[in-house]
């Protein structure tokens, strides 16, 4: 089987109209996807995407098109998925535009994710089950180990995976039966008024969520008022995380969170620039005893961390409590495997970012796989959920009682409905022509 064609779509949803997705740094996002279809000569199609918030999605589309020579004509029969990912991200002239970060890495993620979707469809398995069936040495061979071996060697990774191998089948059956714990951000977008936050927070608890997240960082008085309303709505036992979306400098982050500490924030997400490794460490140190009764306010980040190297440094510096992978920010499945292994080696829980079109659908596979084959634990782990745009996917996420149910259709759950591609095509789709 060969890949005979590649179609790339600029798909944008006008979420800025309702302020879904709004936060302190991104007040009016239009959730968007640079969406890839890989066509083959035996009729199978692979689907992948990378997520943006509107303007610049066309730049991602152009970057994906630049990778066409590495994709079209590729034989799938003998495809080494590790070598393919490395070849795509190591091209010297394209890599110069990163390296391994920014638009080119977003584009690589879309293509690599589409190839993995194709591989899982060909195997007749959901991606999480395909990955969970691989032997430790196979999983380790999928990873680009350049720059990582001072923190984790391939041999150590094989040992870690081998230690988890004995219980994989049991854990796969368990997680398929009970689902993966989730938290919701849908109650806490910054553009929502207090009444809407209160209503949605109460609905989230009624739906089985034991954790919600609020956006913060634009105005301290507003944050205090909204946090007070949310805490009153959900009570003391429900966890409330907060997310500043990179709004603050280091001293400001510490001071602001100390002002919010009486409401018992579970974590502060992206308190400062994602590039601030030492800044995150300073914030974590400053908030170590800032919570009620001297408890820590945890520090979480990852949705904008460029690559496995920065995750390695955040872990080496003990700068974060929670690792937040993104299915489309780094170089797709392969690089996320590296980050999951690093997190497990350093004993940090992974709570993925999924606040965007298609991100819930994709990253659920990585969380299920992580539990089955890598971490073997659900302690301190929640997978983010937002409640919009799932209707545009052929295999949308399903939640019950605040938990993700295991996806069981073959593939990576990335396929969008044809009518969505038509209606929301930018700039000529019907949804945009009327603007």
């Amino acid at each position: 089987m060969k890949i005979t064609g590649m179609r790339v779509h600029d798909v944008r949803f006008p979420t800025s109209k309702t302020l879904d997705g709004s936060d302190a740094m991104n007040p009016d996002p239009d959730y968007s996807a640079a969406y890839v279809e890989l066509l083959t000569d035996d009729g199978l199609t692979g689907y992948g995407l990378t997520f943006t918030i509107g303007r610049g999605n066309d730049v991602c589309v152009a970057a994906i098109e630049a990778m066409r020579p590495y994709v079209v004509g590729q034989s799938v029969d003998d495809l080494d998925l590790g070598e393919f990912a490395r070849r795509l991200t190591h091209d010297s002239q394209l890599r110069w535009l990163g390296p391994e970060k920014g638009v080119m890495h977003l584009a690589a993620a879309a293509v690599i994710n589409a190839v993995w979707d194709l591989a899982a469809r060909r195997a007749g398995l959901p991606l999480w089950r395909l990955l969970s069936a691989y032997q430790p040495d196979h999983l380790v061979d999928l990873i680009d180990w350049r720059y990582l071996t001072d923190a984790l060697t391939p041999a150590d990774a094989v040992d870690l995976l081998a230690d988890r191998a004995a219980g994989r089948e049991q854990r796969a059956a368990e997680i398929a039966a009970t689902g993966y714990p989730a938290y919701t951000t849908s109650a806490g977008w910054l553009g929502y008024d207090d009444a809407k936050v209160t209503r949605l927070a109460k609905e989230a608890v009624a739906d089985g969520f034991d954790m919600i997240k609020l956006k913060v960082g634009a105005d301290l008085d507003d944050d205090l008022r909204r946090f007070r309303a949310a805490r009153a709505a959900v009570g003391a036992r429900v966890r409330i995380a907060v997310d500043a979306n990179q709004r603050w400098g280091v001293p400001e982050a510490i001071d602001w969170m100390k002002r919010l500490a009486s409401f018992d924030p579970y974590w502060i997400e992206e308190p400062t620039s994602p590039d601030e490794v030492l800044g995150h460490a300073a914030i974590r140190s400053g908030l170590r005893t800032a919570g009620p009764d001297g408890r820590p306010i945890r520090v979480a980040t990852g949705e904008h961390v460029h690559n496995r190297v920065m995750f390695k440094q955040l872990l080496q510096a003990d700068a974060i409590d929670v690792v937040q992978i993104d299915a489309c920010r780094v170089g797709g499945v392969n690089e996320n495997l590296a980050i999951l292994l690093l997190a497990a080696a350093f004993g940090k829980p992974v709570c993925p970012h999924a606040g965007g079109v298609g991100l819930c659908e994709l990253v659920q596979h990585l969380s299920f796989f992580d539990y089955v084959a890598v971490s073997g634990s659900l302690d301190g782990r929640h997978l983010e959920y937002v409640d919009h745009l799932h209707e545009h996917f052929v295999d949308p996420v399903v939640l019950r009682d605040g938990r993700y149910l295991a996806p069981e259709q073959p593939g990576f759950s990335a396929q969008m409905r044809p009518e969505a591609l038509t209606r929301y095509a930018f700039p000529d789709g019907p949804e945009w022509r009327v603007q």
Side-chain angles (χ1 to χ4, degrees), residues 134-270:
Y134 286 162
Q135 293 301 306
D137 56 348
H138 188 172
L139 287 167
V140 168
D141 284 344
L142 293 168
I143 292 168
D144 183 355
W145 287 96
R146 186 185 299 183
Y147 311 129
L148 297 185
T149 54
D150 58 320
L152 181 67
T153 67
D156 289 338
V158 169
D159 289 343
L160 187 156
L161 291 166
D163 285 344
R164 304 288 193 271
R168 282 196 299 186
E169 291 185 7
Q170 178 183 348
R171 287 192 296 273
E174 173 200 332
I175 203 72
T178 63
Y180 199 98
Y183 76 88
T184 182
T185 307
S186 298
W189 301 119
L190 200 66
Y192 291 175
D193 61 33
D194 293 3
K196 188 170 185 178
V197 169
T198 298
R199 174 176 60 81
L200 293 176
K202 289 180 178 178
E203 290 177 1
V205 175
D207 289 338
F209 292 100
D210 62 3
M211 178 172 163
I212 67 171
K213 189 167 77 182
L214 300 177
K215 298 293 186 175
V216 298
D219 181 272
L220 180 57
D221 290 337
D222 286 346
D223 289 350
L224 289 165
R225 189 190 68 252
R226 294 171 75 252
F227 209 153
R228 185 179 296 110
R231 179 57 74 194
V234 304
R237 297 181 65 183
V238 172
R239 293 170 174 171
I240 301 180
V242 295
D243 184 356
N245 290 95
Q246 313 162 35
R247 180 76 177 198
W248 304 317
V250 172
E252 187 181 11
I254 296 170
D255 292 344
W256 201 299
M257 287 309 302
K258 286 182 175 179
R259 293 290 302 276
L260 298 180
S262 62
F263 300 113
D264 197 14
Y266 182 64
W267 75 50
I268 172 59
E269 182 174 333
E270 287 200 310

Side-chain angles (χ1 to χ4, degrees), residues 103-114:
V103 170
M104 294 312 302
H105 223 36
L106 291 170
V111 174
I112 291 167
N113 287 342

Side-chain angles (χ1 to χ4, degrees), residues 120-138:
R121 288 172 183 274
R122 194 173 185 223
L125 295 169
L127 180 70
W128 72 273
R129 287 194 182 276
L130 176 67
L131 292 172
S132 298
Y134 286 162
Q135 293 301 306
D137 56 348
H138 188 172

